Amino acid sequence: MTVSQASFALPRLNIYATGGTIAGSSASATDTFQYETATLGIDKLIAAVPELKKIAEVKGEQIASVDSNDISVAILLQLAQKLHQDLAGDTAAAVITHGTDTLEETAFFLSLTTKTDKPIILVGAMRPATAISADGSMNLLQAASVAVHEDAAKRGVMMVMNDRIGSGFYITKTRANTPDAFKSVEAGYLGLMIGLEPHFYYLPQQPSNRPYFDVSGYKELPRVDIIYGYQSTDTALLDAAIENGAKAVVIDATGAGSLSTPLLERVKELTAQGFPIVRASRTVEGYISVPEDEGTGSGFLNAQKARIMLMLALAQQDDLATIRNYFK
Ligand code: ASP
């Protein structure tokens, strides 16, 4: 190959598919809520967007074909390990197609478990591929466009949907039905798509206080459960979670992490025994900090992200003091 031919070579882009609505279909073009998720394979997703081949040398890989509610720890670990391996080679960037319901959990997990300057982009869709005005194809093409763009390096894991570029660390699903489903409530978006051109608001940066967990060789993670806070919550669900094998519990509590009197007393007892309880907030925005004898505040993390952080911390046997620092 001559030098001039080499300079026109397209970047290698791996697209890993996991299922979700972006791979969903229905017999009716107007069905946007009773369709079946995860019915189309990666080859069909790529074939539906021929423009992909103009911007990258695309390789598709089917990691799973599930609704994102069935993304397991095994799938998360497989993704992190595969990204580590593939991006260490000549693959320039990675896109992961994913159901939107738990996309933020995978994005957050990968933010904590990958270490690369190369872009890793999660993408989903709110309408199945068969719908009139389906959003998946454009979302996928925009995600790929960001992935291979020179401005996208050194920004960690990102999400591209609905013309927005979001941080994989901060993004969260805030709407159940409409294509504008994701926001980074406190931190804001990283950028905006104008057609296929990404416009980043800031120079490359990483979330502050983002720990890195090396999961190479891991096959599973300790169990962490989430329980919900509401008026007069008793201790039954917390105790059941622990009896059932949870090694830590997140309480999606009210307000700034508040608990009912019986639950607070139980949390104090467990904290004195060194059992990790993290208190997040069922409100969408805020920073949660609690006295040290009353558990651990989740900081800016919502309950589902706090669970991911705890599973990773417990897997490397961090003590309570170290765990507390991850949430500051
Ligand atoms: N239930 C679907 C999923 O998360 C929803 C979606 O993809 O939008 O897999």
Side-chain angles (χ1 to χ4, degrees), residues 128-212:
T130 46
I132 296 174
S133 204
D135 50 338
S137 293
M138 188 54 161
N139 285 347
L140 179 57
L141 185 56
Q142 287 188 333
S145 302
V146 175
V148 298
H149 197 277
E150 58 185 1
D151 290 349
K154 299 186 182 172
R155 293 178 186 272
V157 175
M158 290 178 272
M159 187 215 69
V160 174
M161 271 187 70
N162 198 43
D163 294 331
R164 307 282 196 178
I165 308 166
S167 153
F169 187 92
Y170 285 116
I171 206 84
T172 188
K173 190 174 186 184
T174 56
R175 282 180 180 270
N177 314 104
T178 52
D180 57 336
F182 285 84
K183 280 200 171 60
S184 301
V185 282
E186 288 282 343
Y189 294 112
L190 298 182
L192 179 71
M193 298 300 295
I194 303 295
L196 299 183
E197 190 66 23
H199 291 264
F200 286 100
Y201 300 132
Y202 311 102
L203 293 172
Q205 57 185 337
Q206 295 288 329
S208 49
N209 203 28
R210 178 181 64 104
Y212 168 68

Side-chain angles (χ1 to χ4, degrees), residues 26 33 62 111 154 246 248 258 285 319:
S26 168
F33 66 99
Q62 196 77 45
S111 294
K154 299 186 182 172
S258 305
E285 298 189 46
D319 60 16

Side-chain angles (χ1 to χ4, degrees), residues 80-98:
Q81 289 160 3
K82 195 165 261 301
L83 286 165
H84 187 76
Q85 195 185 326
D86 292 351
L87 294 176
D90 56 3
T91 300
V95 166
I96 300 157
T97 63
H98 201 289

Side-chain angles (χ1 to χ4, degrees), residues 69-150:
N69 289 282
D70 294 322
I71 294 281
S72 60
V73 164
I75 295 173
L76 292 178
L77 289 170
Q78 187 193 350
L79 268 175
Q81 289 160 3
K82 195 165 261 301
L83 286 165
H84 187 76
Q85 195 185 326
D86 292 351
L87 294 176
D90 56 3
T91 300
V95 166
I96 300 157
T97 63
H98 201 289
T100 62
D101 289 348
T102 71
L103 184 148
E104 68 189 88
E105 288 164 63
T106 299
F108 185 70
F109 178 86
L110 295 176
S111 294
L112 303 184
T113 56
T114 55
K115 209 178 204 177
T116 174
D117 288 347
K118 295 179 178 176
I120 298 171
I121 318 273
L122 280 101
V123 62
M126 291 299 285
R127 295 181 183 142
T130 46
I132 296 174
S133 204
D135 50 338
S137 293
M138 188 54 161
N139 285 347
L140 179 57
L141 185 56
Q142 287 188 333
S145 302
V146 175
V148 298
H149 197 277
E150 58 185 1

Side-chain angles (χ1 to χ4, degrees), residues 35 40 44 58 65 71 73 81 88 113 115 126 157 192-193 231 240 246 252 262 283-284 293 320 322:
Y35 56 89
L40 306 176
K44 287 222 167 80
V58 176
S65 288
I71 294 281
V73 164
Q81 289 160 3
T113 56
K115 209 178 204 177
M126 291 299 285
V157 175
L192 179 71
M193 298 300 295
Q231 292 178 336
D252 201 8
T283 67
V284 184
D293 62 333
L320 207 46
T322 310

Side-chain angles (χ1 to χ4, degrees), residues 249-325:
V249 173
V250 180
I251 305 177
D252 201 8
T254 60
S258 305
L259 303 174
S260 65
T261 305
L263 199 52
L264 179 59
E265 288 313 312
R266 188 81 184 103
V267 168
K268 282 187 187 168
E269 282 168 23
L270 289 164
T271 304
Q273 292 162 22
F275 186 89
I277 304 267
V278 169
R279 290 159 61 179
S281 174
R282 68 185 205 183
T283 67
V284 184
E285 298 189 46
Y287 182 89
I288 312 307
S289 169
V290 301
E292 288 215 342
D293 62 333
E294 297 181 4
T296 299
S298 70
F300 284 117
L301 300 186
N302 62 22
Q304 54 273 32
K305 293 186 191 191
R307 171 179 168 269
I308 299 274
M309 184 73 92
L310 277 168
M311 290 196 299
L312 289 166
L314 291 172
Q316 60 176 33
Q317 302 187 327
D318 288 330
D319 60 16
L320 207 46
T322 310
I323 288 174
R324 282 208 165 100
N325 275 329

